Amino acid sequence: MARITVSVEPRHADNSPCDQPVKPSGRPRDPSCGCIGRTAYAVVCSEHGDVGDPHHVKVIAEPAAVAHRQEHRAALAAR
C-alpha cells in the first residue's frame, strides 16, 4: 500500500504552486523572480489531489488538512 500524504501548498492567483520565498504580505522577496505572489493555500492529498477550495489564510488550511488526514485514518481503521 502506498503512503498517502496530505499537505498545505501555497498557490498563486492562477492556482499554480508558489515555492518562492515571500514577505509576510505574500509578495515575493525577490521582485525579479517572476513570482506574482501568494494568494491562497490549498490542501493537497497524494491520492485525491486538491481537497476542497483553497483557503486565503494558512492557519485555516492546516485544520482542513488534519481533517482530511483523519478521514484516511478512519477509512483504514474501518477495513
Side-chain angles (χ1 to χ4, degrees):
M1 178 187 234
R3 182 179 193 106
I4 297 170
T5 59
V6 179
S7 61
V8 176
E9 181 178 273
R11 298 283 177 95
H12 295 126
D14 64 359
N15 206 29
S16 62
C18 177
D19 57 355
Q20 289 81 18
V22 294
K23 298 176 187 176
S25 66
R27 306 308 296 158
R29 289 198 184 274
D30 179 13
S32 65
C33 72
C35 176
I36 56 177
R38 295 178 184 173
T39 59
Y41 294 88
V43 177
V44 181
C45 174
S46 62
E47 185 175 317
H48 299 117
D50 287 2
V51 177
D53 293 328
H55 303 276
H56 294 287
V57 184
K58 189 174 182 179
V59 296
I60 296 173
E62 289 169 346
V66 170
H68 188 72
R69 214 174 280 121
Q70 293 293 344
E71 291 173 15
H72 279 289
R73 288 186 183 137
L76 286 173
R79 287 185 187 176

